[in-house]
């Protein structure tokens, strides 16, 4: 697999030095032995956590990827983080044997969405718990397989919904939970992705629905989980409308954009020579302009042929860029949701109506996409905050509550350090130290993962049929209702 002395054969084992002293009792505490599968962009957060703040409770025994170049990329990072030597690497096809031969406690899955169900089920059946990036999986069959494996093995699956931990989202949860706006009757939720972040889903593997389930699952599962958690309710019926209205070759032709290159990195074969960038195209991603993307993807595409910089106006895109849903909930509330993936700014607005009043959260994560290459390469402004000057719109957030017959008031939001306003750090602490008492109920399990993707799966079915779809009719393998 990877060109390292620590590559492990299917029957191989990695020696353990995985105990640390408990300061209070002086007794050795066994570190969780972790195997990570998938060394794309999302894996770095976990690797840094294990070799950083959580090195006393977790040990990265090995990692795996179908692309050996990306494994080597993270081997270098691990050395920079102070590891005494390379971490073992194994072939993804040998996951079961590696778990059993090396006493692995948890598998962290950061692979493309369409592979999640396979690796989750295999990890559970091999005897490990699983931590998986959202979404849990992309279709009903994947849900059924995961549900069956959880029931048969008794193992645990955690879906990492880091948006729950973002202070602004937690603040809205506190307001709703306090009862200050009464019983929730409806939610209006609008999310806009800008022409940097939104466009990026149309460059990568996400652009094909068979890989990602479309934005209703890959992206919006975050949003549906927030609503489910905010109002402590379960989605029952979904009606969806939408389509590919901006990106793709047909839309480009209608707007007269003319012929375009298939990818954003010109003369990719000569990238090693440091060829200068071509004339700037605001929708093109030149991988040579970002050292990390170049090292992870451009330098390693000869291993698997994966192109990270496909043009957003080419043929072959099967996901939607404009979406609208109406979702009925078990307890009576109705959600009106919309997603746009080609906005000139990025953020979201949510209004929660109750019998006693209304709460409104407005978030601006990037006030404007300006033609500046130094800032354009920050793909996700929620994870990596950016500042763009705009005379009208400002980056920031505001939570306003107004009860009937009373004046409105603003609820202060206190952010922490790190991505998502410090939410990532809180999530990682729960993952590696175990969740403590949390009155907001932020830690999530596989049922939360099922409930979030149930909206997207039902939404995709509704897009195909033009009819509303009940989540109970999807056959996900579990009863999603509260108290069931």
């Amino acid at each position: 697999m990877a060109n390292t002395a620590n590559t492990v054969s299917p029957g191989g084992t990695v020696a353990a030095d995985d105990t640390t002293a408990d300061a209070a009792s002086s007794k050795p505490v066994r570190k969780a032995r972790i195997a990570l599968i998938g060394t794309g962009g999302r894996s770095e957060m976990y690797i840094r956590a294990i070799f950083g703040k959580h090195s006393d409770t977790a040990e990265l025994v090995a990692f795996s990827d179908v692309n050996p170049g990306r494994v080597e990329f993270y081997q270098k990072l691990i050395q920079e983080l102070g590891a005494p030597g390379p971490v073992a690497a194994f072939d993804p096809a040998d996951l079961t044997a590696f778990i059993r031969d090396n006493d692995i406690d948890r598998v962290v899955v950061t692979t493309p969405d369409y592979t999640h169900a396979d690796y989750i089920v295999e990890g559970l059946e091999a005897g490990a718990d699983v931590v998986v990036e959202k979404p849990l999986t992309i279709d009903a069959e994947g849900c059924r397989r995961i549900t069956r494996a959880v029931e048969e093995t008794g193992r645990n699956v955690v879906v990492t919904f880091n948006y729950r931990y973002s202070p602004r989202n937690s603040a809205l949860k506190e307001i709703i939970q306090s009862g200050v706006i009464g019983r929730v009757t409806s939610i209006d939720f609008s999310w806009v992705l800008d022409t940097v972040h939104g466009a990026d889903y149309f460059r990568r593997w996400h652009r094909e629905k068979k890989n990602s389930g479309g934005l209703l699952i890959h992206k919006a599962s975050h949003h549906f989980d927030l609503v489910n958690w905010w109002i402590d309710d379960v989605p029952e019926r979904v009606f969806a409308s939408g389509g590919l209205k901006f990106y793709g070759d047909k839309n480009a032709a209608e707007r007269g954009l003319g012929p375009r290159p298939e990818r954003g990195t010109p003369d990719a074969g000569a990238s090693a020579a440091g060829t200068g960038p071509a004339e700037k195209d605001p929708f093109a991603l030149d991988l040579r302009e970002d050292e990390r993307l170049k090292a992870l993807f451009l330098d390693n595409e000869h291993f698997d042929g994966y192109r990270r910089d496909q043009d957003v106006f080419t043929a072959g895109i099967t996901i939607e860029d404009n979406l609208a849903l109406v979702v009925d909930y078990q307890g009576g509330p109705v959600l009106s949701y919309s997603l746009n993936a080609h906005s000139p700014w990025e953020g979201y607005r949510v209004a929660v109506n109750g019998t006693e009043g209304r709460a409104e959260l407005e978030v601006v994560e990037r006030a404007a996409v300006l033609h500046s290459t130094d800032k354009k390469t920050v793909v996700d402004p929620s994870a990596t905050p950016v500042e763009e000057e705009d005379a009208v719109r400002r980056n920031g957030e505001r939570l306003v509550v107004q009860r009937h017959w009373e004046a409105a008031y603003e609820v202060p939001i206190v952010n922490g350090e790190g991505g998502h306003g410090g939410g990532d750090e809180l999530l990682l602490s729960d993952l590696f130290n175990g969740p403590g008492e949390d009155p907001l109920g932020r830690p999530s399990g596989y049922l939360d993962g099922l409930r979030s993707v149930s909206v997207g799966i039902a939404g995709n079915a509704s897009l195909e049929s033009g009819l509303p779809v009940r989540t109970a009719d999807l056959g996900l393998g579990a009863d999603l209702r509260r108290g069931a």
Side-chain angles (χ1 to χ4, degrees), residues 150-387:
V150 168
E151 292 176 347
E152 291 176 353
T153 65
R155 309 299 307 189
N156 186 42
V157 176
V158 172
V159 185
T160 54
F161 288 121
N162 50 2
Y163 278 10
R164 291 187 178 196
Y165 292 81
S166 180
R168 59 203 180 209
N169 297 327
S170 294
L172 179 55
K173 170 70 173 178
E174 288 183 281
I175 290 297
I176 297 170
Q177 190 169 273
S178 73
V180 68
I181 63 170
R183 177 176 55 81
V184 173
T185 60
S186 64
I187 309 96
D188 184 68
F189 195 176
S190 174
W191 199 292
V192 292
L193 297 165
D194 63 33
T195 48
V196 173
H197 191 189
D200 208 45
Y201 295 110
F202 297 82
R203 299 186 184 107
R204 300 180 280 168
W205 52 265
H206 312 71
R207 72 203 316 252
E208 295 185 67
K209 189 170 282 193
K210 66 180 182 180
N211 294 334
S212 65
L215 292 180
L216 278 184
I217 291 179
H218 176 80
K219 185 61 181 175
S221 63
H222 257 325
H223 312 156
F224 301 141
D225 175 71
L226 280 176
V227 176
N228 298 347
W229 170 67
W230 277 330
I231 67 175
D232 192 25
D233 211 334
V234 179
E236 282 197 330
R237 190 179 72 155
V238 179
F239 177 78
S241 181
L244 183 66
K245 300 177 183 296
F246 183 80
Y247 301 108
D249 58 334
K250 292 182 180 178
N251 293 312
E254 287 179 0
R255 297 201 299 277
L257 295 187
R260 297 178 60 83
E262 292 183 355
R263 61 185 309 180
T265 307
D267 195 16
S271 62
T275 307
E279 183 179 349
K280 292 306 300 177
D281 176 347
F283 283 101
L285 176 65
D286 188 338
L287 294 172
R288 299 169 303 176
E289 293 180 354
D290 186 300
E291 291 184 6
R292 183 170 179 271
L293 291 179
K294 178 181 181 298
L296 263 177
F297 300 107
L298 183 61
D299 293 348
N300 295 314
E301 67 180 39
H302 62 282
F303 287 111
D304 55 14
Y306 172 58
R307 293 184 172 187
R308 173 66 177 77
D309 60 342
Q310 297 178 79
D311 182 59
V312 299
F313 295 112
T314 54
I317 297 174
T318 57
I319 66 174
E320 300 81 14
D321 54 25
N322 281 256
L323 290 154
L325 274 73
V326 175
V327 183
D328 296 327
Y329 276 78
Q330 178 185 339
V334 177
L335 165 67
S336 173
Y337 171 84
S338 67
L339 176 67
N340 178 281
H342 56 90
S343 169
W345 68 279
E346 177 143 335
Y348 58 99
R349 294 179 175 132
V350 56
V352 183
N353 298 300
T355 55
E356 301 294 329
R358 176 178 169 104
E360 301 171 347
L361 175 63
E362 181 173 29
V363 177
V364 177
E365 294 177 332
R366 179 156 40 205
V369 174
L370 304 180
H371 200 110
S372 53
T373 58
D374 56 330
K375 297 168 184 173
K376 182 165 100 69
T377 53
V378 175
V379 173
D380 184 354
S382 65
T384 307
V386 297
E387 292 294 336

Side-chain angles (χ1 to χ4, degrees), residues 161 164 225 228 443-453 482:
F161 288 121
R164 291 187 178 196
D225 175 71
N228 298 347
S444 57
Y446 96 100
L447 273 177
D448 297 303
L450 282 174
R451 290 175 178 129
S452 69
V453 297
R482 300 289 186 192

Side-chain angles (χ1 to χ4, degrees), residues 16-60:
D17 180 14
D18 56 355
T19 58
T20 185
D22 185 310
S25 64
S26 298
K27 294 180 180 179
V29 176
R30 185 181 183 278
K31 295 182 183 181
R33 291 174 60 78
I34 293 174
L36 183 146
I37 187 161
T39 54
R42 289 299 298 168
S43 61
E44 183 169 339
M45 179 180 75
Y46 298 95
I47 291 171
R48 287 187 178 276
I50 294 171
F51 286 94
K53 289 185 178 180
H54 304 287
S55 60
D56 57 338
T57 58
E59 175 192 8
L60 183 61

